[in-house]
Structures are given as C-alpha cells and as structure tokens.
Amino acid sequence: MSDEPFTPNGKKAEWRMIDDEFNTMEPGQIVTYEQLTAVLGKDVKTNRGAFYRFAKEMRRRGKTLTCIPNQGYMVVFPVDMEKRIYKHSKRGENITVRLVEEASHTPRESLTDEQRRRLNDEETILGRFATSWRSFRRKYNPHKDDSQRRNDEAALASRGDGGAAEA
C-alpha cells in the first residue's frame, strides 16, 4: 500500500485496470465477477471500490451499469434509463416523505436544545423538498394520464391540507 495519499498501490490505479479492459462495453453486455477478479487479481466481491470508481467513469461517458445478481454488471440500454430513473426518484420521494412523517412524530421532550433545533431544521427542509417533489410529480409525471392526475389533485384539494399529511 502506498504511503502517499491518492496514489495507486501498483503501477496503475485499480479502476483504470478495469477501465482499460472494459471501457468499450455496450448496452446489454455483461462483465462477470470472474472477469473483474481476473483483471484485478483479487476478489472484486469483497472490495468493490475500484469497480465503483469505474462505474462512475462509465456514467460520465453516458453508460450506466446495473447489477445482475450472481453474475456481474451490465450496461443498461438507454431506453431502460427513463424507467430506472423514475423508479429511483420515486423511491427517494417515498423515503423523504417517510422521514418528514418520522420527524414530525418524534418526541422532543428528551432532546437537548441543539438536537431539537437540528431536528426542526431537518423537518422543515425535508418537508419543503417533499412538497416540491410531489407538486412537480403531479404536474409533470409522464406515468400518469391526465384523468388520474386530475383525480389526485381533486383528492388532495378536498382534504384541505394540500397533501401535507400524505405519507
């Protein structure tokens, strides 16, 4: 291991070794764990840091890798990226809404003033983010047709809270 920070352990950074071998991957092509292990000379399943850096470089080139369980990684087809991005953004939205709900129901009596202030600040920030996210999704969500979007907006308006209690 090198004593200098940010220098490779060998002649070349491990992620660059992977990049040299697999940078021309095309959508649908799979790189197996065995292939990655052969390039690095060590089990990639126990230390994926070099692979994650390679994946980051691939994203910068417009190619996203996804895990294929028990096989390795595959370059995602561009047509599948929209679904993938929507799925992950929806998951992030759900987590954010859940965190707002948890924060709003957290008993503050046993917290210090500093902890209470931080929790209140986080609740405010996450609440604004969740509200903006829901509003944006209702307005621009390509996965809902207009009638479904209108029904959602009518349901929120009839509740009178603008969706603030929505989980």
Side-chain angles (χ1 to χ4, degrees):
M1 185 170 199
S2 174
D3 293 334
E4 295 293 317
F6 310 112
T7 57
N9 293 334
K11 290 184 178 184
K12 185 183 280 191
E14 290 177 340
W15 76 267
R16 288 194 187 273
M17 294 166 51
I18 298 171
D19 190 53
D20 288 349
E21 192 73 26
F22 301 109
N23 67 9
T24 58
M25 290 177 66
E26 293 299 323
Q29 185 177 349
I30 296 175
V31 57
T32 66
Y33 294 123
E34 291 77 22
Q35 290 172 310
L36 290 168
T37 297
V39 168
L40 293 177
K42 62 182 181 181
D43 188 5
V44 73
K45 290 181 182 181
T46 58
N47 184 354
R48 296 184 184 176
F51 174 79
Y52 291 147
R53 174 65 193 274
F54 165 68
K56 182 178 180 179
E57 294 300 319
M58 290 291 280
R59 278 193 304 276
R60 288 180 178 164
R61 298 176 192 144
K63 296 178 180 179
T64 297
L65 298 164
T66 190
C67 182
I68 306 296
N70 301 316
Q71 290 184 40
Y73 298 91
M74 179 183 76
V75 177
V76 178
F77 285 94
V79 70
D80 295 327
M81 285 306 297
E82 185 271 336
K83 292 177 199 164
R84 178 182 166 87
I85 290 168
Y86 174 79
K87 176 180 148 188
H88 286 284
S89 71
K90 184 64 180 161
R91 187 170 141 212
E93 177 186 3
N94 291 340
I95 290 169
T96 303
V97 169
R98 191 169 41 249
L99 286 171
V100 171
E101 186 176 300
E102 287 176 13
S104 70
H105 291 90
T106 299
R108 285 159 166 75
E109 300 82 30
S110 62
L111 300 177
T112 66
D113 288 343
E114 179 63 19
Q115 291 170 327
R116 197 174 304 121
R117 184 194 60 75
R118 282 196 319 254
L119 181 60
N120 290 340
D121 289 349
E122 286 299 319
E123 182 181 359
T124 300
I125 291 166
L126 290 169
R128 289 179 181 167
F129 185 65
T131 299
S132 296
W133 207 333
R134 283 190 302 249
S135 174
F136 183 80
R137 193 170 304 281
R138 278 194 304 271
K139 186 173 182 180
Y140 297 105
N141 186 352
H143 296 273
K144 287 187 177 182
D145 61 85
D146 288 335
S147 63
Q148 188 176 7
R149 190 175 303 120
R150 281 192 302 272
N151 290 342
D152 289 351
E153 289 169 354
L156 287 173
S158 69
R159 284 195 359 214
D161 65 358
E166 185 178 297

